[in-house]
Each structure stands twice: as structure tokens, then as C-alpha cells.
Amino acid sequence: MMASPGGQPLVVECVALTKVFADFWGRQRVLAVDKLDLDIRPGEVFGLLGPNGSGKSTTIKILLGLLYPTSGAARIFGRLPTDTAIKSRIGFMPEESYLYRYLNSYETLDYYGRLFKLDRHERNRRTEQLIEMVGLKRAGKRPVGTYSKGMARRIGLAQALINDPDLLILDEPTTGLDPIGTRQIKDVIATLAHRGKTILLCSHLLADVEDVCHRVAIMYGGKRQALDKLDRLLERREVTQITAKSLDDATVRRIREVVTSAGRGEVEVSHPRDRLEDLFMRVVGNAQRSNLATSGADSMGGVSSFLAGQDARQTGRNVVESLVDAGLKQEESPPPEPQAPKSMTPTPRREVITQLVSDTPETAVPSPAAVEAPAKQSKPDENVLERLMKNPGE
């Protein structure tokens, strides 16, 4: 396995990668990828460009293990793309977000979190952070089938990040997004790269690629036609550009005379222009600060804290390892000497023993006053007896 210039192992490596699509009879029909050599380094944003039919999508499917190469080799983290051990380290956002339309955003991310065997607490934490990050807090309880294409792309990005991947593959991530969402997606990509994530970006929007990519490869006819750092590919060595603050007409005339006398031809003097995207963001930002209501998605928040990258995760591993080492050292220390068990025999009480060995006390006789006198019987009424003894017929 090759290593990057910094000595780290390559994240993606393709060597003479070839894919031929055959017909039913096995006859060669389409040469989709032709001996492609490619390498993607840790922590970089790599752009894969080319017109339709140039082999970009086929290359991505091979890297994901969805297609087998006809010849050549592809490696992800030094392993074959079909190795299930690397699947949890990859996040993929396809060109179309295929989501369950009757689930809302929270249920969608919870479902994908279950696929990666995240516990309930971690799923809830990441779901809340991702929905806040992609600006779907207000629409989070709506079924995703009711989302616009731009909102579906946002939740698609969230599901690609739910497993905190080391390699993020984005296929047309800004399709269907408004200029605000597009700018925010690019900011997220730049932040993730700064945190150590490796990103493979495939897009037809070249301005987006120019803003975020470190290196790009341009494909045509299944072959790699160009590969280098973006600055080197775009630099025009035959033209020199001088930028200065506003100059008066006399200074501009002298500059023209110097350049013309050097035999460099005509000099073009103009004022720099803002990009339309920058102007759009300023105008909309002023409107947002006025608290104007909108029915669309919210602005995206900062990148979720759990997407910390390799450095932060390594710090966490170091903490865990130090705790484990401390536990092992404690286990290796000699156990304390056993102490003699405390006696459980009760201590006799002196006053109880004295009472037991003394003479038996006489039985107490109750006093006559304490004996209750028998109740006095009442004498029957003689008049009542005489009436009862009389004959009823008299």
C-alpha cells in the first residue's frame, strides 16, 4: 500500500482500475473506466470532475463496493471496497436522496443510526446536532416526503454524517439548494476537512469545486486527463496580474508606458468585481438580520461537535487507555493482608447475670382493694309478678 507525501497511508488508492460493461452474451459493450490511477490523501477535499459518461459514477460505485472492477485494483483504507470492516468508516450522499417518505427527519436519522449500531443516547445526541446543523429544526417533525429537493439534500447530508465517517463521498451535494444552502454546504465541507475528514466531491458545479477542493482529477472517456493541485491547474503563467489600491490616471499612464516599453503589448486596467455569490449572501444576510419571516429551511448551524475528526477521537482513545492502564496497575498491586474476623459472641451483661442467680421472688398477691366486688342482684317487683299470675280471663 502506498503512502501520502506526509507518510500517512492513503485513504483511497486506484491502480489501473478498469470496468467494462458487457451485454447478455458477455461481449464487451462499454468501457466505462479505463486504467484509472488515483490516490486520495488523508484530510483533503478531492474533486472528481468530468462530463456525463466520463466514468465518475462508475468509479464511485466501485469504491463503495457496489460494482466489481473488470481489472486493476481499488483500496479503501488499505482494504478491498467489499470488506465490511471499513463500511462504518464511510459516509455516502448519493446524487438523489432515497429516503423513506413517511418518516420525519428525527425518525430517518434514528433509523440510520440503528444500522450503525449506535446506542439510543448517542443516536438522540447526534440526531439533534445534525438536524440543527442542516437547518431543519422547524421542519424536523414533517415527513420527508413533503420536503423540497433542497431540504431533502440537507437531510441526505445529515444521514451521511450520522456515523461520523472518516471518508465522506458526496455526489452532487449542492443540487437543488438555494445559494444560501450551497454556501453553507461548502462551509461544512471546509470545516470537516479542517477537522481531519477526507472528502471525495463529485460535482458538475465547477464554482463549488473551485471553492473547496485541494486537488482535482478531470476524467473523459473513462481515462484520467488531468490531476494536480487546483491552484497549479488554474494558474496562468503567461499572464501577470498586479493588484493595488485605487490609482489616479497619471499613475495608470506611467504603468502603461513602462509595460509597453518592455514590449509586453497592451495593458488591461480594470477594477476587480465581486462574485455574484458574495453579493447574494450580503443582501440575504441583511434581510435575515431584519428578522423577516420565511417558509423555507433555516440557516445551517455550525458543524456538529461529535464530528471531531481523527485528532479528537485519538485524544479520547488516549484518555480511555490511560484509565485502563491505571486499572491494570491497581490489579497488579499486592492485595492487603487479611484481617482476623471480628468475634460475633455477645458480651454478657452483669446486671442480667446477677438477677438470674438471685432468689426467685415471691408471687405477688393482689390487694383486697384491687379485687372487684361482685355485682349486687336486684330484687324482682312483686306487683309485676301478681299481674302475671292472674288468670287472663278474669
Side-chain angles (χ1 to χ4, degrees):
M1 178 179 175
M2 296 180 60
S4 63
Q8 295 178 302
L10 294 174
V11 176
V12 176
E13 182 182 7
C14 298
V15 179
L17 187 66
T18 303
K19 178 61 180 178
V20 177
F21 290 101
D23 62 9
F24 177 78
W25 306 105
R27 295 174 298 188
Q28 177 175 326
R29 289 299 183 188
V30 178
L31 180 61
V33 181
D34 188 9
K35 298 178 181 178
L36 176 64
D37 292 328
L38 200 66
D39 63 271
I40 301 178
R41 302 160 187 172
E44 77 170 341
V45 183
F46 188 91
L48 188 60
L49 310 179
N52 293 331
S54 60
K56 304 187 305 298
S57 297
T58 302
T59 301
I60 289 177
K61 290 178 181 179
I62 293 175
L63 295 178
L64 292 172
L66 302 177
L67 290 176
Y68 291 96
T70 305
S71 62
R75 295 289 186 273
I76 306 290
F77 301 112
R79 296 173 178 264
L80 291 174
T82 54
D83 191 340
T84 57
I86 63 171
K87 299 299 184 182
S88 62
R89 302 179 63 185
I90 301 175
F92 176 49
M93 181 182 180
E95 185 176 0
E96 295 291 338
S97 299
Y98 300 101
L99 304 170
Y100 293 99
R101 58 181 295 104
Y102 297 107
L103 298 180
N104 60 37
S105 293
Y106 291 91
E107 295 166 340
T108 298
L109 296 184
D110 182 80
Y111 169 73
Y112 284 99
R114 288 174 182 267
L115 293 180
F116 287 103
K117 295 181 172 57
L118 301 177
D119 60 69
R120 184 180 64 178
H121 173 74
E122 187 65 18
R123 291 198 310 270
N124 293 340
R125 185 176 74 91
R126 294 188 181 188
T127 297
E128 288 289 344
Q129 292 184 15
L130 287 172
I131 289 179
E132 180 73 24
M133 186 191 83
V134 299
L136 291 177
K137 192 73 173 178
R138 289 189 302 173
K141 296 297 185 180
R142 285 170 45 190
V144 297
T146 65
Y147 284 1
S148 65
K149 186 173 183 179
M151 297 171 72
R153 299 303 286 161
R154 290 171 182 252
I155 194 63
L157 175 63
Q159 67 85 21
L161 293 171
I162 189 67
N163 60 318
D164 189 14
D166 297 320
L167 171 62
L168 182 61
I169 301 177
L170 304 176
D171 192 359
E172 302 291 348
T174 57
T175 300
L177 290 175
D178 56 38
I180 300 176
T182 299
R183 178 66 170 267
Q184 292 170 343
I185 290 289
K186 291 189 291 187
D187 291 342
V188 168
I189 292 173
T191 303
L192 291 175
H194 181 71
R195 294 186 180 184
K197 305 292 185 184
T198 304
I199 301 171
L200 173 57
L201 174 62
C202 181
S203 177
H204 290 297
L205 302 178
L206 302 184
D208 298 342
V209 176
E210 185 178 349
D211 287 339
V212 298
C213 287
H214 303 135
R215 292 192 305 147
V216 297
I218 301 176
M219 297 181 63
Y220 185 83
K223 289 180 175 290
R224 191 192 76 189
Q225 304 295 334
L227 171 63
D228 206 338
K229 290 184 177 180
L230 192 60
D231 292 339
R232 292 179 183 173
L233 291 174
L234 297 180
E235 187 179 35
R236 296 176 58 187
R237 301 291 299 177
E238 72 277 9
V239 177
T240 301
Q241 178 176 314
I242 301 174
T243 303
K245 291 185 177 181
S246 181
L247 303 175
D248 55 36
D249 294 339
T251 304
V252 172
R253 270 197 310 274
R254 288 199 299 272
I255 293 175
R256 288 180 183 275
E257 292 172 357
V258 171
V259 174
T260 303
S261 62
R264 298 302 180 183
E266 291 293 329
V267 178
E268 179 181 350
V269 179
S270 62
H271 294 285
R273 296 177 55 187
D274 267 347
R275 298 178 58 190
L276 181 59
E277 181 185 50
D278 295 333
L279 173 64
F280 185 91
M281 293 300 298
R282 285 202 304 271
V283 173
V284 174
N286 293 334
Q288 288 177 337
R289 284 188 287 272
S290 301
N291 296 324
L292 298 179
T294 177
S295 59
D298 298 328
S299 296
M300 296 174 64
V303 177
S304 302
S305 60
F306 76 88
L307 299 170
Q310 289 286 356
D311 295 339
R313 280 205 295 270
Q314 186 62 38
T315 302
R317 292 192 189 102
N318 294 338
V319 173
V320 173
E321 290 174 359
S322 64
L323 294 175
V324 172
D325 293 340
L328 293 176
K329 291 180 181 178
Q330 185 174 3
E331 292 179 359
E332 294 174 357
S333 61
E337 297 182 359
Q339 299 179 356
K342 296 182 179 180
S343 174
M344 300 302 294
T345 305
T347 303
R349 296 174 58 186
R350 184 176 298 276
E351 60 271 15
V352 175
I353 296 176
T354 304
Q355 184 177 358
L356 290 175
V357 300
S358 64
D359 295 336
T360 303
E362 298 179 355
T363 305
V365 180
S367 62
V371 179
E372 186 176 337
K376 185 178 180 180
Q377 297 182 356
S378 60
K379 187 176 180 180
D381 191 349
E382 295 181 355
N383 295 330
V384 175
L385 293 176
E386 290 178 358
R387 287 198 299 270
L388 293 173
M389 295 297 293
K390 287 182 180 182
N391 187 358
E394 294 181 358

